[in-house]
């Protein structure tokens, strides 16, 4: 949640810096990149939290926590990279996607073990 608050504050600061009033979402290219980075991170947050929760409960808390921390770090790097240049988001984007897939795999493995194994 702190990351989402940080990203939202960055949008507010960018709005002030480039004099873009809400509800406008276009303007200076740097503002648009920051706005899009914040929106993208917010869109993926419910998926991340759901997978983290299920993987933590049904697979292993420590493994899920490490994956969660790595995911948050990659999203932070994604935000920083996207704020500078659109190409700067790609490496962290792919890393965060791999971590989401890993969390999905852990969640599915945990659920299968819980419900299929005696």
């Amino acid at each position: 949640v702190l990351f989402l608050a940080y990203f939202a504050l960055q949008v507010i600061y960018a709005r002030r810096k480039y004099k873009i009033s809400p509800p406008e979402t276009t303007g200076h290219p740097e503002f648009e990149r920051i706005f899009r980075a914040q929106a993208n991170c917010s869109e993926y947050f419910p998926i991340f939290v759901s997978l983290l929760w299920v993987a933590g409960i049904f697979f292993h808390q420590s493994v899920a926590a490490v994956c969660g921390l790595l995911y948050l770090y990659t999203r932070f790097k994604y935000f920083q990279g996207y704020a500078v240049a659109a190409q700067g988001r790609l490496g962290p984007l792919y890393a965060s996607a791999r971590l989401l897939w890993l969390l999905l795999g852990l969640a599915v493995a945990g659920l299968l073990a819980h419900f299929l194994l005696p």
Side-chain angles (χ1 to χ4, degrees), residues 68-80:
L69 289 172
L70 288 171
Y71 176 81
L72 291 174
Y73 175 75
T74 59
R75 285 314 267 191
F76 180 71
K77 297 305 282 181
Y78 167 85
F79 187 89
Q80 287 182 323

Side-chain angles (χ1 to χ4, degrees), residues 50-71:
S50 301
L51 291 174
L52 182 67
W53 179 70
V54 174
I57 290 175
F58 291 101
F59 188 79
H60 195 277
Q61 289 179 357
S62 298
V63 174
V66 168
C67 288
L69 289 172
L70 288 171
Y71 176 81

Side-chain angles (χ1 to χ4, degrees), residues 11-87:
V11 172
I12 292 169
Y13 298 147
R15 282 188 183 280
R16 290 178 184 158
K17 181 177 180 179
Y18 299 108
K19 298 176 178 48
I20 299 171
S21 299
E24 291 294 320
T25 58
T26 59
H28 193 277
E30 186 173 336
F31 166 76
E32 290 181 15
R33 287 193 309 271
I34 291 170
F35 180 81
R36 259 331 300 154
Q38 183 268 336
N40 291 346
C41 290
S42 296
E43 290 164 358
Y44 277 91
F45 194 71
I47 297 167
F48 162 67
V49 170
S50 301
L51 291 174
L52 182 67
W53 179 70
V54 174
I57 290 175
F58 291 101
F59 188 79
H60 195 277
Q61 289 179 357
S62 298
V63 174
V66 168
C67 288
L69 289 172
L70 288 171
Y71 176 81
L72 291 174
Y73 175 75
T74 59
R75 285 314 267 191
F76 180 71
K77 297 305 282 181
Y78 167 85
F79 187 89
Q80 287 182 323
Y82 204 169
V84 173
Q87 290 294 86

